[in-house]
Amino acid sequence: MSAVTAFLPDFRNTPQIDHVGVEERAARFTKRSIKAETKVNGLKLALNMIDLTTLEGKDTDGKVKQLCYKAMHLHDAYPGLPTVAAICVYPSMVAVAKKALEGSGIKVASVATAFPSGQSSRDVKIRDTKFAVQQGADEIDMVISRGKFLQGEYNFVYDEIVAVKEACGTARLKVILETGELVTYDNVRRASEIAMYAGADFIKTSTGKIQPAATMPVTLVMLEAIRDFYYKTGKKIAMKPAGGISKAKAALHYLVMVQETLGNDWLNNKWFRFGASSLANDVLMQLEKERTGVYQAANYFSID
């Protein structure tokens, strides 16, 4: 998707968010009752939406290969489980992940653009992106320049996303807002609109390196921005809350929120992802509980 220049608004005049209202609406999604069969289906769906991630300075080829193996074999004792959606790594590890996942259908995502701070020149960010794509990345997770955004330089942020999108070629672009640094819901809404109009395929809450990361109110603000953008332009944008979602129960709450805000069309891993590696094991634990009636110990499942 290219930038939506024909509909470009004045980013200084994006909708203001009712702080109390959005938090009350988000809280209501946690009160929905879910029947057992629906719960199992929801857990499997959540599993298939996870981007398993390793983004550490100590990452090695072996660690990435092990994570890829887990992605393809989440729990072989449970027949019929889906795989996760993607593996997310640094650009230097893309080729390793691509080879390890060959034939699996699991995507390889790569962070880029001076992740996680974004504090680098545009030239470096473009080269970082192109390198990841050349190595075989199917998806690019970029960070916006939060400093420029907070200075009110919205056109700078827009132009940078446009440039990175062009550098992605056919790879899908996830634009990370780092909502914990944007401070207000109004800023989250404005950054969401800038990213979508600039050509983002996904908007994503966080790097996972800053707290607070994903929260239900922040995600709701972004989902509503996606809904309104779709009504205005007819273009669907995907969503990825990342960081801090570690429990299966919380994942189900997020899926309820997606369904009631955007509808069933967004309930698949093309249009919704979880950036939460630790979530996978808790989902597996809950699925085993539903299948056998007994909780397994946490060490029954592989850590990575």
Side-chain angles (χ1 to χ4, degrees), residues 6-276:
F7 300 95
L8 199 62
D10 183 345
F11 295 122
R12 296 169 298 178
N13 297 324
T14 51
Q16 292 187 317
I17 305 301
D18 177 353
H19 184 108
V20 174
V22 79
E23 294 188 349
E24 287 181 349
R25 289 198 302 277
R28 287 193 207 111
F29 296 117
T30 68
K31 311 299 183 186
R32 305 289 192 268
S33 61
I34 302 175
K35 295 180 180 178
E37 182 180 353
T38 304
K39 180 179 179 182
V40 169
N41 290 336
L43 291 170
K44 289 180 179 179
L45 182 60
L47 204 58
N48 191 229
M49 292 172 163
I50 292 172
D51 286 0
L52 282 182
T53 303
T54 183
L55 296 169
E56 303 294 338
K58 62 183 179 181
D59 285 346
T60 62
D61 289 10
K63 184 180 180 184
V64 171
K65 288 175 182 176
Q66 176 61 32
L67 194 66
C68 292
Y69 183 85
K70 175 167 183 169
M72 295 183 288
H73 303 276
L74 286 167
H75 189 48
D76 289 340
Y78 192 130
L81 282 181
T83 65
V84 298
I87 292 290
C88 186
V89 294
Y90 278 114
S92 58
M93 291 293 171
V94 167
V96 175
K98 192 75 173 179
K99 184 175 180 181
L101 294 170
E102 192 172 4
S104 69
I106 298 170
K107 304 295 186 186
V108 176
S110 177
V111 296
T113 65
F115 177 96
S117 71
Q119 292 286 6
S120 189
S121 69
R122 186 172 301 179
D123 178 62
V124 167
K125 293 177 181 181
I126 296 302
R127 286 191 282 120
D128 197 25
T129 301
K130 287 183 175 180
F131 174 72
V133 173
Q134 288 164 1
Q135 292 295 295
D138 303 296
E139 300 169 356
I140 295 295
D141 291 36
M142 73 166 286
V143 289
I144 68 167
S145 297
R146 283 87 74 193
K148 294 290 188 182
F149 177 90
L150 293 169
Q151 288 174 188
E153 296 186 43
Y154 306 135
N155 288 340
F156 179 98
V157 176
Y158 173 89
D159 290 342
E160 192 166 72
I161 297 169
V162 170
V164 173
K165 174 62 178 174
E166 183 178 358
C168 284
T170 59
R172 295 181 82 197
L173 176 63
K174 304 190 193 91
V175 177
I176 306 170
L177 308 185
E178 197 66 291
T179 55
E181 292 185 337
L182 297 187
V183 184
T184 69
Y185 296 136
D186 288 345
N187 279 343
V188 171
R189 173 69 188 226
R190 179 175 290 117
S192 297
E193 294 208 2
I194 291 171
M196 291 187 294
Y197 279 100
D201 297 295
F202 281 79
I203 52 175
K204 176 177 171 182
T205 60
S206 321
T207 63
K209 307 294 186 183
I210 296 291
Q211 295 299 323
T215 66
M216 288 194 69
V218 156
T219 303
L220 179 58
V221 169
M222 294 170 69
L223 291 173
E224 291 180 342
I226 289 170
R227 178 197 62 201
D228 294 346
F229 183 81
Y230 177 69
Y231 288 157
K232 287 179 183 177
T233 69
K235 294 187 178 294
K236 291 173 68 174
I237 304 295
M239 174 69 201
K240 181 179 174 181
I245 306 168
S246 60
K247 297 299 181 184
K249 185 176 182 179
L252 292 174
H253 293 158
Y254 274 85
L255 293 183
V256 170
M257 184 163 62
V258 172
Q259 195 277 332
E260 295 192 18
T261 307
L262 295 176
N264 291 330
D265 285 353
W266 268 263
L267 286 178
N268 57 72
N269 68 17
K270 181 177 181 180
W271 300 110
F272 190 79
R273 300 279 182 85
F274 291 106

